[in-house]
Amino acid sequence: MITLERQSLISKHLSSAETQAEVVTALSRIAYHFGFTYFTLANAPVSTDNLLEPLIVETTLPIDYIRTFDENRFLPICPLVPLMKNMVLPLCWMCRPADVEGGPPQFPAALCNLLLDHNMSTGVAMPLQSSDGSSYFIRLDGARPLLTLPELNEVGMLLLQAFTVYDRLRREAPATAKLLSIRELEVLRWTSQGKTSSEIARILSLSDHTVNAYLNKAIKKLDCVNRTQLVAKAIRLRLIN
């Protein structure tokens, strides 16, 4: 269980955050200290959404998990989506196939297998509302026992604080800075310093594939054809120095 000292330290770190990147780092710490492996900040899905990736704002989820999730169109059948629409407090769950008895949520077997393949047997998610009325959620995934009620209360307070700070910094950021995600900017900065994908992967504790995926997304967003043009355009737009 997270201690009050750790909770205080994370809360202090969030209060002093001056960049969105610092909030993302804090979210990673929250996930770690509560025994989870991944975090995701995403736009809340609506009935017409079929894919997860376009909704993601920031995440540490493996790229291959996201790709498989979307290839199988799991979003419309995920049992967490309708539950989250009616929640104002954190929702905690344990992955359980639909054919196994127990309380909700019950996952389709294929989705449950995907979660278990990535050591994501347990999770917690919290619906959040931005100052402009947009709906988001933060989700933590990993392999640990279900959160206790005190833990659930603690993680709820920290996730709310993290999102409040992130939302404020997002609104205050220059319009050009919103073109790319924090991770895309991070990878781009190292690329501009001449680092290869393998070197960046080691620095950021990512896979080469994940680094290349972030770069390719940035290339598409800035309408570039290669990394050289991407770096040049990012400098011109003052996204990086």
Side-chain angles (χ1 to χ4, degrees):
M1 180 184 296
I2 190 170
T3 66
L4 291 177
E5 287 180 288
R6 288 176 177 174
Q7 184 182 4
S8 177
L9 285 172
I10 295 173
S11 182
K12 184 177 180 180
H13 179 80
L14 285 168
S15 298
S16 62
E18 297 181 353
T19 66
Q20 291 168 282
E22 289 178 306
V23 180
V24 169
T25 298
L27 284 170
S28 293
R29 289 177 179 175
I30 292 170
Y32 171 78
H33 285 307
F34 278 91
F36 293 103
T37 308
Y38 310 110
F39 86 86
T40 300
L41 168 61
N43 293 279
V46 297
S47 58
T48 55
D49 288 321
N50 293 310
L51 301 175
L52 174 62
E53 185 173 15
L55 300 175
I56 292 174
V57 179
E58 303 290 347
T59 191
T60 52
L61 285 172
I63 292 294
D64 59 329
Y65 167 82
I66 299 171
R67 182 182 297 114
T68 303
F69 188 95
D70 283 348
E71 285 175 352
N72 288 276
R73 296 296 192 273
F74 282 143
L75 186 63
I77 61 173
C78 178
L80 302 175
V81 174
L83 290 175
M84 290 293 294
K85 290 179 181 178
N86 302 314
M87 297 289 295
V88 292
L89 298 174
L91 170 68
C92 187
W93 69 88
M94 180 170 284
C95 180
R96 183 175 53 252
D99 58 354
V100 175
E101 291 186 2
Q106 293 179 324
F107 293 80
L111 175 53
C112 189
N113 290 336
L114 176 63
L115 289 166
L116 295 178
D117 285 345
H118 288 83
N119 293 317
M120 295 160 58
S121 58
T122 313
V124 60
M126 185 170 184
L128 297 152
Q129 201 82 9
S130 72
S131 55
D132 62 10
S134 303
S135 297
Y136 293 82
F137 69 87
I138 296 179
R139 173 171 166 170
L140 309 179
D141 286 278
R144 55 147 291 165
L146 285 172
L147 291 174
T148 63
L149 185 57
E151 286 178 314
L152 198 58
N153 291 334
E154 289 167 357
V155 78
M157 288 187 290
L158 288 172
L159 293 183
L160 178 59
Q161 182 184 4
F163 181 75
T164 300
V165 175
Y166 186 93
D167 189 45
R168 174 178 59 79
L169 293 171
R170 177 184 64 85
R171 287 184 283 108
E172 294 173 353
T176 52
K178 301 175 185 177
L179 292 173
L180 303 179
S181 72
I182 299 298
R183 273 298 195 185
E184 289 162 357
L185 284 170
E186 198 172 19
V187 169
L188 181 52
R189 288 191 188 97
W190 285 112
T191 302
S192 70
Q193 294 179 29
K195 301 295 184 181
T196 65
S197 292
S198 296
E199 290 171 331
I200 297 171
R202 287 194 294 273
I203 292 169
L204 300 180
S205 299
L206 301 171
S207 68
D208 292 9
H209 179 82
T210 300
V211 170
N212 289 329
Y214 281 127
L215 283 171
N216 288 334
K217 286 176 70 175
I219 287 171
K220 289 180 181 178
K221 287 182 179 181
L222 296 189
D223 193 26
C224 298
V225 295
N226 54 40
R227 297 186 184 192
T228 302
Q229 185 183 12
L230 173 65
V231 170
K233 189 167 186 177
I235 293 173
R236 189 168 68 251
L237 293 174
R238 297 184 179 180
L239 297 177
I240 58 175
N241 298 320

